[in-house]
Amino acid sequence: LVASTARDGLIKIWDARLQHCIQTITGAGGGVAVGVDHDPESNRVVTGAGDRELRLWRLDVDAEAPLDGLGSIKRHAMEPCQQLRFVAPRILGALTHGRTLELFRVRGAADAAKKAKRRARRRREKGLADENDEVAAADELEPLSVITSEHRLRSFCVVAVTASTVSLALSTRTNELELRDASITAQMTRKGSVADAADNA
């Protein structure tokens, strides 16, 4: 299967063998659907849009409609999303049209279920009705860190991955390459751009 997004706000799932669209989803925030990626380990698909929301989907390749929505969470940055990529198993990078890259972790099934139960219990204690303990996007997607560059960002890619750190290269619109290390829980620290390294050589 192949997933695609477009500026008409549609998310489509394609059967690559039959070259046929088997599912179309409407209602992307801001009227645009931008960015999509799949994490094989969690079997989740994440899509971005013209608003601040990240939408999470459960994938079932044997179902007639393979994508099942789990809801959305709000990103920290105000700018629309331009690129989504799982930089490591269960670790998602969301790049905006501005100067921000955000990292999220997809919780495991057991941790997500515990969080859903805690959320439902807190809402019942506050007297809020119609709340259940079904797992939603807010239970599965956990914000990890936010990085803000001095320049607008164009794209990013993975340089290396260890058990505790993801090394990333960020391409800026000033034609610089910034190298960052991100731990699972701590915010990224800047190593410096390629231009800075050349100046100091």
Side-chain angles (χ1 to χ4, degrees):
L1 298 181
V2 176
S4 66
T5 57
R7 295 192 176 276
D8 59 5
L10 299 180
I11 302 167
K12 294 188 176 185
I13 304 298
W14 304 80
D15 186 319
R17 182 176 58 87
L18 298 177
Q19 299 184 11
H20 177 69
C21 177
I22 60 176
Q23 184 180 10
T24 299
I25 300 170
T26 61
V32 215
V34 183
V36 59
D37 204 6
H38 171 242
D39 177 34
E41 182 165 314
S42 63
N43 205 30
R44 295 294 184 261
V45 172
V46 179
T47 59
D51 56 11
R52 295 175 60 191
E53 305 288 324
L54 287 179
R55 289 161 176 82
L56 186 67
W57 311 84
R58 181 188 295 109
L59 177 65
D60 183 355
V61 295
D62 296 321
E64 184 176 345
L67 285 190
D68 179 29
L70 294 172
S72 64
I73 67 167
K74 186 166 291 187
R75 294 180 293 105
H76 170 80
M78 300 293 294
E79 301 91 347
C81 181
Q82 69 164 315
Q83 183 183 1
L84 291 174
R85 178 176 297 171
F86 279 96
V87 299
R90 294 185 178 275
I91 304 298
L92 174 71
L95 185 70
T96 72
H97 277 284
R99 300 181 294 117
T100 305
L101 172 68
E102 300 176 62
L103 293 182
F104 299 83
R105 179 171 72 94
V106 180
R107 292 186 176 95
D111 288 342
K114 289 178 182 178
K115 189 173 188 302
K117 290 180 179 179
R118 289 196 300 268
R119 171 177 50 78
R121 184 174 62 250
R122 286 195 299 267
R123 289 180 62 87
R124 285 193 295 267
E125 290 171 352
K126 295 178 181 179
L128 300 175
D130 301 326
E131 181 64 19
N132 57 54
D133 58 0
E134 292 183 3
V135 174
D139 305 314
E140 292 203 7
L141 280 177
E142 173 190 10
L144 285 182
S145 59
V146 178
I147 179 172
T148 302
S149 172
E150 295 178 0
H151 309 286
R152 294 188 65 189
L153 297 172
R154 187 187 305 274
S155 62
F156 73 98
C157 68
V158 181
V159 177
V161 180
T162 68
S164 59
T165 305
V166 177
S167 297
L168 302 169
L170 311 180
S171 173
T172 74
R173 295 188 182 275
T174 56
N175 294 323
E176 292 180 325
L177 194 63
E178 298 182 0
L179 304 179
R180 305 290 182 106
D181 285 342
S183 74
I184 296 300
T185 56
Q187 186 161 339
M188 293 181 175
T189 57
R190 179 170 182 173
K191 283 184 176 178
S193 67
V194 171
D196 293 338
D199 289 341
N200 296 328

